Amino acid sequence: MKDKTVFICQSCGARAPKWMGRCSTCGEWNTLVEEIEEDIPAGAGGITYAPTEPVLYKDIQDIPRQRIAIGIEDVNKVLGGGLVAGSLVLVGGEPGIGKSTLLLQVARDMAAEGASVLYVSGEESLEQIKLRGDRLGVRDGRLFLLAETNLERILAQAERLAPKILVVDSIQTVFSAKMTSGPGTISQVREAANQIFRFAKTRQIPTFLVGHITKDGSLAGPKSLEHIVDVVLLFEGERDHSHRVLRAMKNRFGPVSELAVFEMTASGLQPILNPSAFFLRERPRDEAGSAVVCTVKGTRPLLAEIQALVSSTLFTGNPRRMTIGLDHYRAAMLLALVEKKAGYSFAGEDIYLNVAGGMSIEEPAVDLGVVMAVVSSLKNMPLPQDMAFFGEVGLSGEIRSVSQPLVRIKEAQALGFGTILLPAGNLAALDRKELPDIECWGVKTVREALQRVF
Ligand code: TYD
Ligand code: MG
């Protein structure tokens, strides 16, 4: 066997014959690491495959997918209706966001129902996991813990125990003794994921892998895992806020539209059954600059509060424009548009925009709400307390239709809103008989919207 050294980008997996400061494939700086290239291609593992034949489409038989229901109902939904037998699920998230907590809760619930679970941790000692488990209320049951980072030993134990579910926390700590590169390098992470994938498939044991991701949202190292695994779930949230959102980014067995919202409490993650009420629970009454928007995340409607603060610039120079939870450029565009089309002036005004509760919204459907919140703050006039908004704003000041209007309207109605301001185009296309009991005002332009409300 002749080994040669190569330099592998730890971000995208590209290889280069010599070290470079910047990866020529993905453009990241300082990501190339020297690794020994082994003769056995990673993932082949010496297995020989039986020759395959082309099969006529109509002769292919359906295999009913066996799905295992997980104790936490919302996680089942995100998985597309339960955990598919033999599937490999990557749970990505920033360190400290609650991945280990979530999976220990899943393990707890499975064990409580009589299934055997193997939870492998390369990050914490058994005592540390037990400490967390006690807080989460883990009781008797066949929940096995293994503190191990050696891939071969992990697989041997999993083979011996044949659990109903396997959890490996985290993939970055696992290393194969057969490879010379250090733990956490992309070659190791990929090899470990490949072997665990094969184990999950051959033994039909669904497996969760934990993967740490960096602040910018890329799965550091595990980026290259995304196409190996069957399902990628992202666990997100702000550390300073208690809510966490779990959503699917890739799912070979179902849609990627569902999401689950949790609250991190002293006794673990609690599902939030009514996220809209949760995000609006501290909304001030009759305050200028606050607008409720109907947004949709996946298929799920969510009401959120947009807050704007327009205040005179104290110092001469450029007034400040700050956004938290909204797209900065889009917000700047909306402000310019309000000045031009509605005749307000923001010269000499600092403008701050925020989505309450630490949420972030990318949807253009919140444009109308942003405009309303800004004008409300500028005029120092509160918006009607029971009014909600949705609609995209175009560059000529027109209000454009958005997707799923009925879902948005129904959510606003369910939370007690009496009036909703929406794109006229959306309203015209809706069947009046389907509309819930809520007043709908269709508007065509920003100017018309402002006139109707103020
Ligand atoms: P953890 O699951 O260890 O995060 P990850 O595995 O993603 O790195 O969770 C870390 C945080 O969660 C930690 O700061 C403490 C907090 N936490 C609670 O608030 N309540 C709890 O019951 C538990 C177990 C953790
Ligand atoms: Mg952890």
Side-chain angles (χ1 to χ4, degrees):
M1 194 204 302
K2 60 176 193 312
D3 294 339
K4 66 174 201 281
T5 55
V6 286
F7 293 86
I8 299 189
C9 170
Q10 302 299 309
S11 174
C12 72
R15 48 188 57 229
K18 60 182 196 334
W19 191 84
M20 292 182 289
R22 185 181 193 203
C23 170
S24 56
T25 307
C26 67
E28 289 287 322
W29 289 92
N30 287 326
T31 52
L32 264 63
V33 168
E34 180 173 8
E35 294 188 21
I36 308 280
E37 171 140 273
E38 266 115 313
D39 260 358
I40 349 156
I47 285 193
T48 49
Y49 294 95
T52 48
E53 297 274 338
V55 179
L56 208 58
Y57 184 88
K58 72 170 177 55
D59 293 341
I60 300 172
Q61 294 188 345
D62 293 332
I63 16 173
R65 289 209 186 280
Q66 212 193 326
R67 287 190 186 258
I68 302 167
I70 284 186
I72 310 170
E73 185 46 40
D74 279 10
V75 177
N76 276 327
K77 279 198 199 133
V78 174
L79 285 166
L83 192 58
V84 170
S87 62
L88 185 59
V89 181
L90 177 66
V91 180
E94 283 171 38
I97 209 72
K99 302 178 295 296
S100 305
T101 306
L102 179 71
L103 290 177
L104 196 56
Q105 285 183 222
V106 168
R108 171 198 70 191
D109 295 347
M110 295 301 295
E113 284 175 19
S116 64
V117 180
L118 177 57
Y119 187 107
V120 182
S121 178
E123 309 216 326
E124 291 157 305
S125 66
L126 297 182
E127 294 71 26
Q128 278 172 312
I129 304 172
K130 184 166 191 307
L131 218 57
R132 171 181 295 140
D134 289 345
R135 277 222 269 165
L136 300 178
V138 175
R139 287 184 214 297
D140 305 339
R142 294 175 54 76
L143 170 57
F144 294 89
L145 300 182
L146 174 67
E148 180 62 80
T149 52
N150 180 302
L151 176 65
E152 284 74 24
R153 280 188 236 150
I154 292 173
L155 290 180
Q157 291 298 344
E159 185 86 46
R160 198 174 63 83
L161 201 66
K164 186 116 187 255
I165 288 190
L166 173 65
V167 177
V168 178
D169 184 1
S170 67
I171 189 70
Q172 275 103 340
T173 57
V174 176
F175 73 99
S176 163
K178 290 185 193 139
M179 293 185 74
T180 37
S181 357
T185 57
I186 206 155
S187 312
Q188 282 284 10
V189 164
R190 228 187 306 190
E191 173 65 13
N194 268 316
Q195 290 212 31
I196 295 171
F197 181 81
R198 214 169 315 122
F199 172 82
K201 288 282 172 275
T202 50
R203 303 300 311 266
Q204 286 292 293
I205 296 175
T207 302
F208 285 102
L209 292 182
V210 169
H212 294 296
I213 64 174
T214 49
K215 188 81 198 163
D216 62 14
S218 62
L219 290 166
K223 184 82 192 154
S224 59
L225 296 184
E226 283 172 19
H227 58 265
I228 300 176
V229 301
D230 297 306
V231 181
V232 179
L233 302 182
L234 286 184
F235 203 37
E236 300 168 310
E238 297 291 327
R239 221 178 297 186
D240 308 335
H241 287 95
S242 61
H243 78 276
R244 303 280 182 270
V245 175
L246 183 74
R247 64 186 175 91
M249 202 179 97
K250 160 183 174 176
N251 191 350
R252 286 190 181 142
F253 314 112
V256 289
S257 49
E258 293 302 328
L259 62 96
V261 186
F262 297 92
E263 183 174 10
M264 182 62 97
T265 69
S267 54
L269 293 156
Q270 305 294 337
I272 297 175
L273 300 176
N274 190 340
S276 295
F278 177 81
F279 287 113
L280 294 183
R281 71 197 189 285
E282 283 167 316
R283 184 163 72 112
R285 286 201 74 85
D286 298 321
E287 276 296 330
S290 152
V292 172
V293 291
C294 314
T295 164
V296 169
K297 292 215 169 205
T299 56
R300 188 169 203 160
L302 196 59
L303 298 191
E305 182 196 348
I306 307 268
Q307 301 178 320
L309 179 66
V310 179
S311 78
S312 309
T313 309
L314 277 184
F315 305 102
T316 47
N318 284 340
R320 301 189 62 151
R321 302 282 183 262
M322 292 255 300
T323 55
I324 304 172
L326 292 165
D327 181 59
H328 189 76
Y329 296 104
R330 201 157 179 98
M333 182 194 94
L334 291 172
L335 295 178
L337 194 130
V338 171
E339 287 198 293
K340 176 105 181 164
K341 296 286 168 189
Y344 294 107
S345 167
F346 298 131
E349 306 280 3
D350 287 340
I351 302 178
Y352 303 90
L353 280 164
N354 176 38
V355 183
M359 249 221 309
S360 67
I361 313 179
E362 296 104 40
E363 239 204 340
V366 301
D367 289 354
L368 186 55
V370 172
V371 168
M372 288 298 164
V374 169
V375 175
S376 157
S377 176
L378 182 76
K379 293 166 85 85
N380 210 8
M381 277 170 64
L383 293 161
Q385 184 72 16
D386 76 333
M387 188 179 278
F389 305 89
F390 70 85
E392 178 180 344
V393 175
L395 274 185
S396 340
E398 79 279 19
I399 311 282
R400 300 171 155 259
S401 301
V402 300
S403 64
Q404 310 189 53
L406 197 58
V407 171
R408 298 174 201 262
I409 297 171
K410 283 186 175 157
E411 181 75 357
Q413 195 255 349
L415 278 135
F417 286 83
T419 313
I420 191 154
L421 202 69
L422 73 164
N426 274 139
L427 187 59
L430 282 171
D431 184 355
R432 296 269 163 178
K433 286 195 292 287
E434 274 184 47
L435 283 179
D437 184 21
I438 183 170
E439 199 158 332
C440 294
W441 295 357
V443 284
K444 286 202 176 90
T445 63
V446 168
R447 195 191 299 242
E448 184 190 350
L450 291 170
Q451 266 164 7
R452 284 203 78 163
V453 176
F454 293 106

